[in-house]
PDB file of all heavy atoms in Angstrom:
ATOM      1  N   LYS A   1      91.595  61.072 108.358  1.00  0.00           N
ATOM      2  CA  LYS A   1      91.250  61.138 109.774  1.00  0.00           C
ATOM      3  C   LYS A   1      92.469  60.997 110.643  1.00  0.00           C
ATOM      4  O   LYS A   1      92.620  61.736 111.644  1.00  0.00           O
ATOM      5  CB  LYS A   1      90.214  60.026 110.132  1.00  0.00           C
ATOM      6  CG  LYS A   1      89.771  60.056 111.566  1.00  0.00           C
ATOM      7  CD  LYS A   1      88.706  59.019 111.813  1.00  0.00           C
ATOM      8  CE  LYS A   1      88.195  59.072 113.269  1.00  0.00           C
ATOM      9  NZ  LYS A   1      87.101  58.108 113.504  1.00  0.00           N
ATOM     10  N   THR A   2      93.392  60.081 110.306  1.00  0.00           N
ATOM     11  CA  THR A   2      94.611  59.867 111.055  1.00  0.00           C
ATOM     12  C   THR A   2      95.477  61.129 111.064  1.00  0.00           C
ATOM     13  O   THR A   2      95.983  61.578 112.077  1.00  0.00           O
ATOM     14  CB  THR A   2      95.387  58.713 110.425  1.00  0.00           C
ATOM     15  OG1 THR A   2      94.655  57.489 110.443  1.00  0.00           O
ATOM     16  CG2 THR A   2      96.714  58.507 111.210  1.00  0.00           C
ATOM     17  N   GLU A   3      95.562  61.814 109.864  1.00  0.00           N
ATOM     18  CA  GLU A   3      96.327  63.023 109.814  1.00  0.00           C
ATOM     19  C   GLU A   3      95.699  64.158 110.645  1.00  0.00           C
ATOM     20  O   GLU A   3      96.381  64.855 111.305  1.00  0.00           O
ATOM     21  CB  GLU A   3      96.408  63.441 108.381  1.00  0.00           C
ATOM     22  CG  GLU A   3      97.360  62.560 107.497  1.00  0.00           C
ATOM     23  CD  GLU A   3      97.282  62.888 106.005  1.00  0.00           C
ATOM     24  OE1 GLU A   3      96.164  63.185 105.499  1.00  0.00           O
ATOM     25  OE2 GLU A   3      98.319  62.838 105.341  1.00  0.00           O
ATOM     26  N   LEU A   4      94.392  64.175 110.650  1.00  0.00           N
ATOM     27  CA  LEU A   4      93.705  65.173 111.464  1.00  0.00           C
ATOM     28  C   LEU A   4      93.923  64.959 112.951  1.00  0.00           C
ATOM     29  O   LEU A   4      94.136  65.811 113.736  1.00  0.00           O
ATOM     30  CB  LEU A   4      92.219  65.218 111.152  1.00  0.00           C
ATOM     31  CG  LEU A   4      91.821  65.840 109.768  1.00  0.00           C
ATOM     32  CD1 LEU A   4      90.345  65.521 109.480  1.00  0.00           C
ATOM     33  CD2 LEU A   4      92.127  67.307 109.794  1.00  0.00           C
ATOM     34  N   LEU A   5      93.838  63.691 113.335  1.00  0.00           N
ATOM     35  CA  LEU A   5      94.064  63.343 114.749  1.00  0.00           C
ATOM     36  C   LEU A   5      95.475  63.718 115.206  1.00  0.00           C
ATOM     37  O   LEU A   5      95.670  64.232 116.338  1.00  0.00           O
ATOM     38  CB  LEU A   5      93.769  61.852 115.004  1.00  0.00           C
ATOM     39  CG  LEU A   5      92.338  61.473 114.907  1.00  0.00           C
ATOM     40  CD1 LEU A   5      92.165  59.920 114.921  1.00  0.00           C
ATOM     41  CD2 LEU A   5      91.554  62.066 116.155  1.00  0.00           C
ATOM     42  N   ASN A   6      96.465  63.422 114.358  1.00  0.00           N
ATOM     43  CA  ASN A   6      97.842  63.763 114.699  1.00  0.00           C
ATOM     44  C   ASN A   6      98.014  65.283 114.826  1.00  0.00           C
ATOM     45  O   ASN A   6      98.704  65.767 115.733  1.00  0.00           O
ATOM     46  CB  ASN A   6      98.800  63.192 113.650  1.00  0.00           C
ATOM     47  CG  ASN A   6      98.909  61.723 113.726  1.00  0.00           C
ATOM     48  OD1 ASN A   6      98.622  61.103 114.781  1.00  0.00           O
ATOM     49  ND2 ASN A   6      99.313  61.068 112.612  1.00  0.00           N
ATOM     50  N   LEU A   7      97.378  65.995 113.882  1.00  0.00           N
ATOM     51  CA  LEU A   7      97.415  67.427 113.917  1.00  0.00           C
ATOM     52  C   LEU A   7      96.704  68.021 115.155  1.00  0.00           C
ATOM     53  O   LEU A   7      97.222  68.943 115.783  1.00  0.00           O
ATOM     54  CB  LEU A   7      96.748  67.975 112.638  1.00  0.00           C
ATOM     55  CG  LEU A   7      96.839  69.517 112.425  1.00  0.00           C
ATOM     56  CD1 LEU A   7      98.257  70.010 112.519  1.00  0.00           C
ATOM     57  CD2 LEU A   7      96.179  69.879 111.088  1.00  0.00           C
ATOM     58  N   LYS A   8      95.591  67.367 115.508  1.00  0.00           N
ATOM     59  CA  LYS A   8      94.826  67.857 116.652  1.00  0.00           C
ATOM     60  C   LYS A   8      95.734  67.708 117.932  1.00  0.00           C
ATOM     61  O   LYS A   8      95.746  68.598 118.810  1.00  0.00           O
ATOM     62  CB  LYS A   8      93.618  66.948 116.800  1.00  0.00           C
ATOM     63  CG  LYS A   8      92.760  67.239 118.078  1.00  0.00           C
ATOM     64  CD  LYS A   8      91.546  66.322 118.124  1.00  0.00           C
ATOM     65  CE  LYS A   8      90.820  66.350 119.424  1.00  0.00           C
ATOM     66  NZ  LYS A   8      90.070  67.657 119.635  1.00  0.00           N
ATOM     67  N   ALA A   9      96.478  66.628 118.062  1.00  0.00           N
ATOM     68  CA  ALA A   9      97.358  66.345 119.226  1.00  0.00           C
ATOM     69  C   ALA A   9      98.403  67.502 119.294  1.00  0.00           C
ATOM     70  O   ALA A   9      98.655  68.091 120.376  1.00  0.00           O
ATOM     71  CB  ALA A   9      97.937  65.018 119.159  1.00  0.00           C
ATOM     72  N   ASP A  10      99.025  67.852 118.132  1.00  0.00           N
ATOM     73  CA  ASP A  10     100.012  68.886 118.121  1.00  0.00           C
ATOM     74  C   ASP A  10      99.432  70.257 118.480  1.00  0.00           C
ATOM     75  O   ASP A  10     100.001  70.995 119.231  1.00  0.00           O
ATOM     76  CB  ASP A  10     100.637  69.018 116.760  1.00  0.00           C
ATOM     77  CG  ASP A  10     101.506  67.745 116.433  1.00  0.00           C
ATOM     78  OD1 ASP A  10     101.929  67.054 117.343  1.00  0.00           O
ATOM     79  OD2 ASP A  10     101.786  67.512 115.257  1.00  0.00           O
ATOM     80  N   LEU A  11      98.239  70.557 117.933  1.00  0.00           N
ATOM     81  CA  LEU A  11      97.612  71.799 118.249  1.00  0.00           C
ATOM     82  C   LEU A  11      97.184  71.958 119.685  1.00  0.00           C
ATOM     83  O   LEU A  11      97.286  73.012 120.303  1.00  0.00           O
ATOM     84  CB  LEU A  11      96.364  71.965 117.333  1.00  0.00           C
ATOM     85  CG  LEU A  11      96.687  72.219 115.839  1.00  0.00           C
ATOM     86  CD1 LEU A  11      95.360  72.112 114.976  1.00  0.00           C
ATOM     87  CD2 LEU A  11      97.282  73.590 115.589  1.00  0.00           C
ATOM     88  N   GLU A  12      96.656  70.845 120.271  1.00  0.00           N
ATOM     89  CA  GLU A  12      96.248  70.891 121.634  1.00  0.00           C
ATOM     90  C   GLU A  12      97.391  71.098 122.567  1.00  0.00           C
ATOM     91  O   GLU A  12      97.281  71.753 123.639  1.00  0.00           O
ATOM     92  CB  GLU A  12      95.454  69.574 122.004  1.00  0.00           C
ATOM     93  CG  GLU A  12      94.122  69.580 121.428  1.00  0.00           C
ATOM     94  CD  GLU A  12      93.334  68.276 121.761  1.00  0.00           C
ATOM     95  OE1 GLU A  12      94.040  67.277 122.037  1.00  0.00           O
ATOM     96  OE2 GLU A  12      92.076  68.320 121.754  1.00  0.00           O
ATOM     97  N   GLU A  13      98.614  70.608 122.208  1.00  0.00           N
ATOM     98  CA  GLU A  13      99.799  70.803 122.987  1.00  0.00           C
ATOM     99  C   GLU A  13     100.149  72.295 123.000  1.00  0.00           C
ATOM    100  O   GLU A  13     100.463  72.843 124.045  1.00  0.00           O
ATOM    101  CB  GLU A  13     100.918  69.929 122.453  1.00  0.00           C
ATOM    102  CG  GLU A  13     102.212  70.055 123.302  1.00  0.00           C
ATOM    103  CD  GLU A  13     103.309  69.152 122.793  1.00  0.00           C
ATOM    104  OE1 GLU A  13     103.002  68.262 121.938  1.00  0.00           O
ATOM    105  OE2 GLU A  13     104.420  69.338 123.254  1.00  0.00           O
ATOM    106  N   LYS A  14     100.134  72.878 121.800  1.00  0.00           N
ATOM    107  CA  LYS A  14     100.436  74.328 121.685  1.00  0.00           C
ATOM    108  C   LYS A  14      99.376  75.132 122.489  1.00  0.00           C
ATOM    109  O   LYS A  14      99.717  76.085 123.173  1.00  0.00           O
ATOM    110  CB  LYS A  14     100.441  74.740 120.217  1.00  0.00           C
ATOM    111  CG  LYS A  14     101.608  74.202 119.420  1.00  0.00           C
ATOM    112  CD  LYS A  14     101.520  74.705 118.011  1.00  0.00           C
ATOM    113  CE  LYS A  14     102.686  74.141 117.168  1.00  0.00           C
ATOM    114  NZ  LYS A  14     102.583  74.573 115.740  1.00  0.00           N
ATOM    115  N   TYR A  15      98.138  74.702 122.302  1.00  0.00           N
ATOM    116  CA  TYR A  15      97.053  75.497 122.977  1.00  0.00           C
ATOM    117  C   TYR A  15      97.216  75.400 124.466  1.00  0.00           C
ATOM    118  O   TYR A  15      96.998  76.461 125.147  1.00  0.00           O
ATOM    119  CB  TYR A  15      95.754  74.836 122.515  1.00  0.00           C
ATOM    120  CG  TYR A  15      94.466  75.563 123.081  1.00  0.00           C
ATOM    121  CD1 TYR A  15      94.158  76.828 122.695  1.00  0.00           C
ATOM    122  CD2 TYR A  15      93.701  74.903 124.078  1.00  0.00           C
ATOM    123  CE1 TYR A  15      93.062  77.445 123.256  1.00  0.00           C
ATOM    124  CE2 TYR A  15      92.594  75.490 124.615  1.00  0.00           C
ATOM    125  CZ  TYR A  15      92.248  76.815 124.189  1.00  0.00           C
ATOM    126  OH  TYR A  15      91.166  77.442 124.697  1.00  0.00           O
ATOM    127  N   SER A  16      97.496  74.293 125.033  1.00  0.00           N
ATOM    128  CA  SER A  16      97.706  74.119 126.453  1.00  0.00           C
ATOM    129  C   SER A  16      98.848  75.005 126.968  1.00  0.00           C
ATOM    130  O   SER A  16      98.755  75.575 128.031  1.00  0.00           O
ATOM    131  CB  SER A  16      97.998  72.683 126.837  1.00  0.00           C
ATOM    132  OG  SER A  16      96.854  71.865 126.485  1.00  0.00           O
ATOM    133  N   SER A  17      99.876  75.165 126.131  1.00  0.00           N
ATOM    134  CA  SER A  17     101.029  75.963 126.610  1.00  0.00           C
ATOM    135  C   SER A  17     100.601  77.445 126.694  1.00  0.00           C
ATOM    136  O   SER A  17     101.089  78.163 127.608  1.00  0.00           O
ATOM    137  CB  SER A  17     102.159  75.861 125.600  1.00  0.00           C
ATOM    138  OG  SER A  17     101.924  76.464 124.401  1.00  0.00           O
ATOM    139  N   TYR A  18      99.692  77.887 125.812  1.00  0.00           N
ATOM    140  CA  TYR A  18      99.213  79.238 125.907  1.00  0.00           C
ATOM    141  C   TYR A  18      98.290  79.460 127.171  1.00  0.00           C
ATOM    142  O   TYR A  18      98.410  80.434 127.870  1.00  0.00           O
ATOM    143  CB  TYR A  18      98.401  79.660 124.655  1.00  0.00           C
ATOM    144  CG  TYR A  18      99.252  79.841 123.448  1.00  0.00           C
ATOM    145  CD1 TYR A  18      98.990  79.155 122.247  1.00  0.00           C
ATOM    146  CD2 TYR A  18     100.273  80.756 123.441  1.00  0.00           C
ATOM    147  CE1 TYR A  18      99.758  79.306 121.106  1.00  0.00           C
ATOM    148  CE2 TYR A  18     101.099  80.997 122.294  1.00  0.00           C
ATOM    149  CZ  TYR A  18     100.795  80.226 121.170  1.00  0.00           C
ATOM    150  OH  TYR A  18     101.596  80.413 120.020  1.00  0.00           O
ATOM    151  N   LYS A  19      97.449  78.468 127.436  1.00  0.00           N
ATOM    152  CA  LYS A  19      96.590  78.576 128.597  1.00  0.00           C
ATOM    153  C   LYS A  19      97.349  78.656 129.889  1.00  0.00           C
ATOM    154  O   LYS A  19      96.962  79.352 130.783  1.00  0.00           O
ATOM    155  CB  LYS A  19      95.616  77.362 128.630  1.00  0.00           C
ATOM    156  CG  LYS A  19      94.551  77.393 127.556  1.00  0.00           C
ATOM    157  CD  LYS A  19      93.625  76.150 127.616  1.00  0.00           C
ATOM    158  CE  LYS A  19      92.703  76.210 128.874  1.00  0.00           C
ATOM    159  NZ  LYS A  19      91.745  75.114 128.860  1.00  0.00           N
ATOM    160  N   GLU A  20      98.502  77.956 129.897  1.00  0.00           N
ATOM    161  CA  GLU A  20      99.296  77.907 131.142  1.00  0.00           C
ATOM    162  C   GLU A  20      99.996  79.248 131.409  1.00  0.00           C
ATOM    163  O   GLU A  20     100.369  79.517 132.547  1.00  0.00           O
ATOM    164  CB  GLU A  20     100.375  76.841 130.999  1.00  0.00           C
ATOM    165  CG  GLU A  20      99.781  75.389 131.068  1.00  0.00           C
ATOM    166  CD  GLU A  20     100.844  74.376 130.703  1.00  0.00           C
ATOM    167  OE1 GLU A  20     101.972  74.744 130.413  1.00  0.00           O
ATOM    168  OE2 GLU A  20     100.486  73.148 130.691  1.00  0.00           O
ATOM    169  N   LYS A  21     100.068  80.138 130.383  1.00  0.00           N
ATOM    170  CA  LYS A  21     100.726  81.397 130.551  1.00  0.00           C
ATOM    171  C   LYS A  21      99.873  82.406 131.279  1.00  0.00           C
ATOM    172  O   LYS A  21     100.419  83.496 131.609  1.00  0.00           O
ATOM    173  CB  LYS A  21     101.198  81.916 129.211  1.00  0.00           C
ATOM    174  CG  LYS A  21     102.309  81.095 128.606  1.00  0.00           C
ATOM    175  CD  LYS A  21     102.698  81.644 127.224  1.00  0.00           C
ATOM    176  CE  LYS A  21     103.843  80.720 126.620  1.00  0.00           C
ATOM    177  NZ  LYS A  21     104.234  81.276 125.238  1.00  0.00           N
ATOM    178  N   GLY A  22      98.612  82.235 131.371  1.00  0.00           N
ATOM    179  CA  GLY A  22      97.684  83.170 131.983  1.00  0.00           C
ATOM    180  C   GLY A  22      97.674  84.475 131.275  1.00  0.00           C
ATOM    181  O   GLY A  22      97.726  85.587 131.813  1.00  0.00           O
ATOM    182  N   LEU A  23      97.602  84.414 129.920  1.00  0.00           N
ATOM    183  CA  LEU A  23      97.555  85.581 129.074  1.00  0.00           C
ATOM    184  C   LEU A  23      96.348  86.457 129.243  1.00  0.00           C
ATOM    185  O   LEU A  23      95.245  85.964 129.551  1.00  0.00           O
ATOM    186  CB  LEU A  23      97.677  85.173 127.565  1.00  0.00           C
ATOM    187  CG  LEU A  23      98.924  84.363 127.179  1.00  0.00           C
ATOM    188  CD1 LEU A  23      98.760  83.840 125.792  1.00  0.00           C
ATOM    189  CD2 LEU A  23     100.161  85.200 127.279  1.00  0.00           C
ATOM    190  N   LYS A  24      96.510  87.748 129.091  1.00  0.00           N
ATOM    191  CA  LYS A  24      95.421  88.713 129.045  1.00  0.00           C
ATOM    192  C   LYS A  24      95.544  89.595 127.784  1.00  0.00           C
ATOM    193  O   LYS A  24      96.168  90.651 127.916  1.00  0.00           O
ATOM    194  CB  LYS A  24      95.362  89.508 130.345  1.00  0.00           C
ATOM    195  CG  LYS A  24      95.004  88.689 131.558  1.00  0.00           C
ATOM    196  CD  LYS A  24      94.928  89.595 132.802  1.00  0.00           C
ATOM    197  CE  LYS A  24      94.530  88.737 134.027  1.00  0.00           C
ATOM    198  NZ  LYS A  24      94.462  89.622 135.232  1.00  0.00           N
ATOM    199  N   LEU A  25      95.041  89.165 126.704  1.00  0.00           N
ATOM    200  CA  LEU A  25      95.218  89.817 125.391  1.00  0.00           C
ATOM    201  C   LEU A  25      93.839  90.240 124.892  1.00  0.00           C
ATOM    202  O   LEU A  25      92.819  89.623 125.182  1.00  0.00           O
ATOM    203  CB  LEU A  25      95.928  88.887 124.396  1.00  0.00           C
ATOM    204  CG  LEU A  25      97.232  88.264 124.804  1.00  0.00           C
ATOM    205  CD1 LEU A  25      97.677  87.184 123.869  1.00  0.00           C
ATOM    206  CD2 LEU A  25      98.302  89.371 124.845  1.00  0.00           C
ATOM    207  N   ASN A  26      93.838  91.306 124.120  1.00  0.00           N
ATOM    208  CA  ASN A  26      92.613  91.840 123.617  1.00  0.00           C
ATOM    209  C   ASN A  26      92.646  92.399 122.194  1.00  0.00           C
ATOM    210  O   ASN A  26      93.445  93.293 121.867  1.00  0.00           O
ATOM    211  CB  ASN A  26      92.118  92.942 124.564  1.00  0.00           C
ATOM    212  CG  ASN A  26      90.642  93.349 124.414  1.00  0.00           C
ATOM    213  OD1 ASN A  26      90.146  93.412 123.262  1.00  0.00           O
ATOM    214  ND2 ASN A  26      89.956  93.499 125.473  1.00  0.00           N
ATOM    215  N   MET A  27      91.848  91.751 121.324  1.00  0.00           N
ATOM    216  CA  MET A  27      91.743  92.267 119.989  1.00  0.00           C
ATOM    217  C   MET A  27      90.235  92.492 119.629  1.00  0.00           C
ATOM    218  O   MET A  27      89.788  92.231 118.505  1.00  0.00           O
ATOM    219  CB  MET A  27      92.358  91.330 118.918  1.00  0.00           C
ATOM    220  CG  MET A  27      93.807  91.149 119.025  1.00  0.00           C
ATOM    221  SD  MET A  27      94.570  90.446 117.540  1.00  0.00           S
ATOM    222  CE  MET A  27      93.898  88.776 117.557  1.00  0.00           C
ATOM    223  N   SER A  28      89.480  92.948 120.635  1.00  0.00           N
ATOM    224  CA  SER A  28      87.990  92.968 120.501  1.00  0.00           C
ATOM    225  C   SER A  28      87.506  94.250 119.873  1.00  0.00           C
ATOM    226  O   SER A  28      86.444  94.225 119.213  1.00  0.00           O
ATOM    227  CB  SER A  28      87.332  92.719 121.829  1.00  0.00           C
ATOM    228  OG  SER A  28      87.638  93.755 122.727  1.00  0.00           O
ATOM    229  N   ARG A  29      88.095  95.385 120.151  1.00  0.00           N
ATOM    230  CA  ARG A  29      87.537  96.663 119.757  1.00  0.00           C
ATOM    231  C   ARG A  29      88.585  97.467 119.034  1.00  0.00           C
ATOM    232  O   ARG A  29      89.829  97.398 119.392  1.00  0.00           O
ATOM    233  CB  ARG A  29      86.963  97.432 120.907  1.00  0.00           C
ATOM    234  CG  ARG A  29      85.675  96.905 121.388  1.00  0.00           C
ATOM    235  CD  ARG A  29      84.568  97.369 120.457  1.00  0.00           C
ATOM    236  NE  ARG A  29      83.301  96.722 120.800  1.00  0.00           N
ATOM    237  CZ  ARG A  29      82.214  96.735 120.035  1.00  0.00           C
ATOM    238  NH1 ARG A  29      82.205  97.374 118.837  1.00  0.00           N
ATOM    239  NH2 ARG A  29      81.092  96.047 120.353  1.00  0.00           N
ATOM    240  N   GLY A  30      88.220  98.307 118.112  1.00  0.00           N
ATOM    241  CA  GLY A  30      89.140  99.175 117.352  1.00  0.00           C
ATOM    242  C   GLY A  30      89.553 100.424 118.161  1.00  0.00           C
ATOM    243  O   GLY A  30      89.316 101.553 117.833  1.00  0.00           O
ATOM    244  N   LYS A  31      90.202 100.187 119.305  1.00  0.00           N
ATOM    245  CA  LYS A  31      90.658 101.237 120.204  1.00  0.00           C
ATOM    246  C   LYS A  31      92.035 101.708 119.743  1.00  0.00           C
ATOM    247  O   LYS A  31      92.923 100.884 119.546  1.00  0.00           O
ATOM    248  CB  LYS A  31      90.690 100.811 121.644  1.00  0.00           C
ATOM    249  CG  LYS A  31      89.332 100.556 122.254  1.00  0.00           C
ATOM    250  CD  LYS A  31      89.421  99.854 123.610  1.00  0.00           C
ATOM    251  CE  LYS A  31      90.139 100.727 124.590  1.00  0.00           C
ATOM    252  NZ  LYS A  31      90.143 100.152 125.942  1.00  0.00           N
ATOM    253  N   PRO A  32      92.292 102.996 119.718  1.00  0.00           N
ATOM    254  CA  PRO A  32      93.665 103.477 119.506  1.00  0.00           C
ATOM    255  C   PRO A  32      94.588 102.989 120.622  1.00  0.00           C
ATOM    256  O   PRO A  32      94.141 102.949 121.773  1.00  0.00           O
ATOM    257  CB  PRO A  32      93.534 104.998 119.506  1.00  0.00           C
ATOM    258  CG  PRO A  32      92.107 105.297 119.229  1.00  0.00           C
ATOM    259  CD  PRO A  32      91.333 104.107 119.813  1.00  0.00           C
ATOM    260  N   SER A  33      95.810 102.697 120.276  1.00  0.00           N
ATOM    261  CA  SER A  33      96.776 102.287 121.300  1.00  0.00           C
ATOM    262  C   SER A  33      97.283 103.488 122.107  1.00  0.00           C
ATOM    263  O   SER A  33      97.104 104.657 121.661  1.00  0.00           O
ATOM    264  CB  SER A  33      97.944 101.606 120.629  1.00  0.00           C
ATOM    265  OG  SER A  33      98.704 102.528 119.878  1.00  0.00           O
ATOM    266  N   PRO A  34      97.902 103.276 123.256  1.00  0.00           N
ATOM    267  CA  PRO A  34      98.452 104.380 124.006  1.00  0.00           C
ATOM    268  C   PRO A  34      99.424 105.215 123.156  1.00  0.00           C
ATOM    269  O   PRO A  34      99.486 106.459 123.318  1.00  0.00           O
ATOM    270  CB  PRO A  34      99.181 103.680 125.155  1.00  0.00           C
ATOM    271  CG  PRO A  34      98.390 102.460 125.411  1.00  0.00           C
ATOM    272  CD  PRO A  34      97.962 101.995 124.003  1.00  0.00           C
TER     273      PRO A  34
END
């Protein structure tokens, strides 16, 4: 549990950094690229 909690803290920090970037990424459909 302690190891999971420490890992959770690290992951949430990384996750927050992505949210702050205002990303607009899409891997939802098999569309050909330009």
Side-chain angles (χ1 to χ4, degrees):
K1 184 175 182 179
T2 299
E3 290 172 321
L4 287 170
L5 287 169
N6 290 336
L7 184 56
K8 176 181 171 71
D10 291 341
L11 289 169
E12 285 182 335
E13 184 177 348
K14 290 181 182 178
Y15 181 69
S16 295
S17 70
Y18 288 125
K19 289 181 70 175
E20 291 170 0
K21 292 179 180 180
L23 300 170
K24 292 183 179 180
L25 304 167
N26 195 316
M27 294 197 296
S28 64
R29 284 285 170 190
K31 293 171 59 176
S33 68

